[in-house]
Amino acid sequence: MPVRNSEIADIFEKLADLLEIEESNPFRVRAYRNAAQSIRGHGKAMADLLEQGADLSELPDIGEDLAEKIQTIVTTGELPLLNEVESRTPAALSDMMRIEGLGPKRVKTLYKTLDIKSIDDLKRAARSGKIREIPGFGKKTEDRIRTRVEGFTSHEQRVKLCVAEQIAEPLVDYLRKVKGVKDIVIAGSFRRRKETVGDLDILIAAARDSIVMDRFVEFGEVVEVISKGRTRARVRLRCGMSVDVRVVPAVSFGAALVYFTGSKQHNIAIRKMGVRRNLKINEYGVFRDKKRVAGKSEKSVYASVGLPVIVPELRENRGELQAARKNRLPHLITMEDIRGDLHCHTRATDGRDTPRRMAEAAAERGYEYLSINDHSKRVAVANGLDRKRLLKQIKEIDKLNEKLDGIELLKSVELDILQDGSLDLPDSVIKELDFTVCAVHYGFNLSRRKQTDRVLRAMDNPYFNILAHPTGRLINEREPYPINLEAIMKAAKERGCFLELNAHPDRLDLTDDACLLAKEIQVRIAVSTDAHSASDLRYMRCGIDQARRGWLEKTDIINTLSLSKLKELFARR
DNA sequence: GCCGTTTTCGGCCCGACTGTTTTCAGTCG
């Protein structure tokens, strides 16, 4: 299997850690970190780009040298420079830097004075009380290291956005009631609507003498106060999530919002634009010399560098600043644009509600149509429909449609794409449907080429309309199966097929980067919830968040169309 | 090691908090 972008990024990040411990040129260290981030966030695999003969040094934060190193990693799977550095400096020191409160300097000191080279070494040393004897360390530092290292798991997981929302809501309600709090916004990746959130950044506008910080650390879910000052405090909640609260005066709120919403890369780019205009931009405002010239609102901050406000979902330094400069920011899709949902299940298979109940719930949301896409027979665990049961369901839906007012149910199915690329029900029954949704449910371990060919062959069937959850990934649970998405998207575009952005918060498959790729290729997308109950229809919001991060507009999304237009699109045959 | 409205050299974001030290280094975001 070709080397994944995340693997290349991991190598550069590890190298950056070790070089930092060795006190190498800090800007060189940063260059490796920037490159890692750039590669990790890139929609296309470096391996594919190289195969197509692309010049990697044209990518942001990648120069001649790193382009060559990426080539080496893609070809050989490793980087000689990293091996060389690891021969001097133990690789596991990089893991130690993941522990909160341990940076390159302390890790180096621990290594040099106590020969601590791993998390386990660190655990033993902290228990034995040797760490506090090192100059510059003390009892408190040792205590903290001990607690952190005991509870340390190598990969602290980011939580899904919808889970973060449930965690944040009661805390924000609590803080909102504190005297002196004028405004409160959850910033950070939460506000940028990233699919997962590492920690919560809560920004509060309040008077300087507000007691909000005292109240914050007293919140019932707080199990550890990591730091607490007048303007900034950080705690850990019972659920394991860290929360930062920052208090700023109202006059700085807009500047602070920009600053704490990020992304970091976006902010750095904004600041650089400011520097060119002799402006200093920080979380307190925009300053020319000592004079504040903007900062109360986000609009004023962006205006100070000659830009319109950029919505948080786009703030990733993925071209939004250039687009804003040219007044070519996308008009992002909104919930109001959505006229129906093209993927849901009923009690006939693994759903919980009846078609009628689903239709009523969709109508309540203001939709014009909803399609019923129960599983087909291959998905036996879900009691998938065979030919006979599907024909029966088609008749039921026809009957139901006569009674329904204001909403139409579309007759569909979620077909299984078999390993040979055929679909698991015959055309003779599929042709009775309004359209089809097709997906891979088994055989995730095929090679990338075979998996791609499988889906491409399936798309050759003229009844194939929408490819559902195109990579099969489950966030934090299952990696995407290897597949050449770019080839799939190009083929879909040629054949008049569409890709689904599965809005279920466990899937969000396509990723934001994949949405960007789809936009570039101009293949259109269905944002669908894959609802297994009437209440699941609410997940549309999650899909729209993701679509917006992927720059998608109303015209990129097919379920913004009227029913008649939609039916025209589905008529490949 | 990257980058360019200061373009092939000379910059590269910076303020808050903690602990240990007594004026600041280390870490974080």
Side-chain angles (χ1 to χ4, degrees):
Chain A
M1 198 179 84
V3 175
R4 281 199 304 266
N5 283 359
S6 62
E7 296 169 287
I8 303 170
D10 286 346
I11 288 175
F12 284 158
E13 254 158 29
K14 180 159 235 171
L15 185 55
D17 285 348
L18 298 181
L19 288 174
E20 201 175 14
I21 291 166
E22 292 184 346
E23 293 174 67
S24 168
N25 176 354
F27 299 110
R28 183 178 172 219
V29 171
R30 187 187 297 171
Y32 279 112
R33 291 201 201 287
N34 290 342
Q37 191 168 344
S38 176
I39 294 163
R40 202 182 292 283
H42 203 276
K44 298 180 190 174
M46 296 299 126
D48 290 345
L49 290 175
L50 283 170
E51 205 179 297
Q52 294 160 12
D55 179 6
L56 298 186
S57 70
E58 284 174 11
L59 300 178
D61 299 317
I62 310 291
E64 294 292 325
D65 181 89
L66 287 179
E68 200 170 304
K69 288 194 166 83
I70 294 169
Q71 169 111 47
T72 306
I73 295 169
V74 168
T75 330
T76 68
E78 53 183 72
L79 182 64
L81 176 62
L82 179 61
N83 300 339
E84 184 194 319
V85 173
E86 283 179 353
S87 69
R88 302 189 293 262
T89 306
L93 295 186
S94 154
D95 300 334
M96 284 166 60
M97 280 178 63
R98 301 282 87 77
I99 290 169
E100 193 160 2
L102 287 190
K105 298 287 169 61
R106 283 180 183 153
V107 165
K108 184 181 185 180
T109 306
L110 288 165
Y111 173 50
K112 291 290 175 194
T113 56
L114 294 177
D115 197 33
I116 293 170
K117 326 190 246 272
S118 69
I119 300 277
D120 280 341
D121 291 348
L122 185 64
K123 221 178 260 186
R124 277 190 290 275
R127 283 182 192 150
S128 71
K130 280 183 192 155
I131 291 177
R132 72 181 76 175
E133 291 161 12
I134 306 171
F137 289 69
K139 183 170 183 312
K140 277 198 171 176
T141 306
E142 183 184 81
D143 285 347
R144 291 210 142 178
I145 290 174
R146 189 170 52 241
T147 9
R148 302 259 160 78
V149 81
E150 300 285 359
F152 181 78
T153 47
S154 61
H155 280 290
E156 303 255 309
Q157 248 180 8
R158 294 171 64 88
V159 308
K160 292 167 198 163
L161 180 58
C162 70
V163 175
E165 281 179 329
Q166 289 161 22
I167 295 167
E169 199 179 325
L171 173 56
V172 169
D173 285 347
Y174 167 87
L175 291 172
R176 205 184 294 282
K177 287 180 197 136
V178 177
K179 191 163 167 269
V181 171
K182 294 177 200 149
D183 210 343
I184 176 163
V185 173
I186 307 170
S189 50
F190 185 97
R191 184 160 180 248
R192 302 200 310 279
R193 311 310 287 167
K194 271 195 86 162
E195 60 191 30
T196 59
V197 173
D199 55 14
L200 293 174
D201 285 296
I202 300 179
L203 185 65
I204 297 176
R208 240 182 142 58
D209 59 355
S210 168
I211 52 165
V212 66
M213 283 309 195
D214 297 320
R215 289 287 174 273
F216 170 50
V217 299
E218 287 165 5
F219 182 63
E221 294 293 310
V222 171
V223 291
E224 184 189 5
V225 179
I226 296 164
S227 69
K228 176 174 176 283
R230 233 178 21 196
T231 65
R232 170 183 287 192
R234 184 174 175 84
V235 306
R236 196 182 312 283
L237 300 182
R238 200 184 311 281
C239 63
M241 187 175 243
S242 296
V243 184
D244 271 314
V245 162
R246 276 108 166 177
V247 177
V248 295
V251 70
S252 299
F253 199 64
L257 257 183
V258 171
Y259 190 93
F260 294 118
T261 297
S263 67
K264 197 170 166 182
Q265 299 305 323
H266 175 90
N267 285 350
I268 288 173
I270 293 274
R271 278 167 184 235
K272 282 184 181 166
M273 292 179 69
V275 169
R276 286 202 284 275
R277 290 171 163 77
N278 279 322
L279 296 172
K280 191 173 91 165
I281 304 175
N282 60 29
E283 61 264 57
Y284 298 108
V286 180
F287 301 88
R288 173 168 280 125
D289 300 323
K290 296 273 171 182
K291 189 177 180 314
R292 182 203 303 274
V293 294
K296 194 167 195 307
S297 68
E298 284 196 314
K299 194 177 170 190
S300 72
V301 177
Y302 282 98
S304 74
V305 291
L307 296 180
V309 172
I310 298 171
V311 296
E313 293 94 320
L314 293 180
R315 299 182 195 172
E316 298 289 345
N317 200 23
R318 284 194 286 215
E320 72 277 11
L321 293 164
Q322 293 80 345
R325 213 174 300 157
K326 294 182 198 151
N327 235 334
R328 288 206 190 130
L329 283 171
H331 297 284
L332 297 181
I333 178 84
T334 66
M335 283 294 281
E336 289 69 39
D337 295 327
I338 296 296
R339 292 165 86 160
D341 198 327
L342 297 176
H343 188 169
C344 83
H345 296 264
T346 74
R347 268 159 45 172
T349 58
D350 57 352
R352 286 204 298 278
D353 288 313
T354 60
R356 174 183 281 278
R357 174 75 199 99
M358 295 303 288
E360 287 165 354
E364 279 165 29
R365 300 181 63 84
Y367 290 167
E368 294 165 28
Y369 47 85
L370 173 76
S371 75
I372 302 296
N373 318 67
D374 273 311
H375 285 290
S376 51
K377 63 177 184 181
R378 172 76 170 84
V379 186
V381 283
N383 188 26
L385 303 177
D386 58 15
R387 177 192 156 83
K388 203 172 143 196
R389 286 173 63 214
L390 180 55
L391 286 171
K392 183 165 163 264
Q393 188 186 57
I394 289 171
K395 279 186 190 151
E396 282 170 12
I397 293 174
D398 280 336
K399 240 187 242 169
L400 192 50
N401 268 332
E402 286 169 20
K403 295 179 209 155
L404 288 173
D405 197 20
I407 185 148
E408 181 168 336
L409 285 180
L410 295 177
K411 293 161 287 187
S412 187
V413 67
E414 181 180 358
L415 291 165
D416 186 60
I417 300 172
L418 300 171
Q419 290 220 8
D420 65 359
S422 61
L423 303 174
D424 73 329
L425 283 174
D427 291 355
S428 61
V429 55
I430 299 176
K431 72 178 170 57
E432 302 299 322
L433 300 165
D434 291 311
F435 75 103
T436 65
V437 163
C438 308
V440 168
H441 296 97
Y442 302 98
F444 285 17
N445 56 356
L446 293 185
S447 71
R448 185 163 185 264
R449 183 173 299 265
K450 281 186 178 160
Q451 197 69 278
T452 307
D453 286 346
R454 172 191 194 175
V455 174
L456 289 178
R457 266 203 298 279
M459 264 191 235
D460 286 336
N461 184 319
Y463 293 108
F464 186 117
N465 294 118
I466 299 176
L467 175 64
H469 37 77
T471 76
R473 69 110 173 229
L474 294 173
I475 298 176
N476 287 349
E477 284 167 45
R478 185 170 73 204
E479 289 292 308
Y481 44 73
I483 193 161
N484 185 344
L485 257 189
E486 192 173 351
I488 299 287
M489 286 181 182
K490 284 182 175 158
K493 161 87 178 161
E494 279 168 20
R495 292 165 171 76
C497 300
F498 309 97
L499 268 69
E500 177 184 89
L501 193 185
N502 191 296
H504 195 288
D506 293 343
R507 291 189 182 270
L508 293 173
D509 177 14
L510 306 168
T511 62
D512 52 1
D513 285 319
C515 290
L516 276 159
L517 184 60
K519 191 173 181 84
E520 188 188 317
I521 293 171
Q522 293 187 314
V523 61
R524 280 187 283 180
I525 302 293
V527 183
S528 309
T529 60
D530 202 350
H532 282 67
S533 71
S535 72
D536 285 355
L537 291 174
R538 72 183 188 282
Y539 292 145
M540 184 59 76
R541 173 67 215 258
C542 309
I544 295 300
D545 282 339
Q546 183 89 331
R548 288 169 63 85
R549 286 184 53 79
W551 291 55
L552 298 185
E553 303 176 78
K554 186 177 176 181
T555 49
D556 300 315
I557 311 264
I558 59 172
N559 47 319
T560 61
L561 295 171
S562 68
L563 192 50
S564 55
K565 284 263 166 56
L566 200 57
K567 283 183 174 173
E568 281 171 32
L569 277 189
F570 287 147
R572 284 179 67 194
R573 41 211 186 254

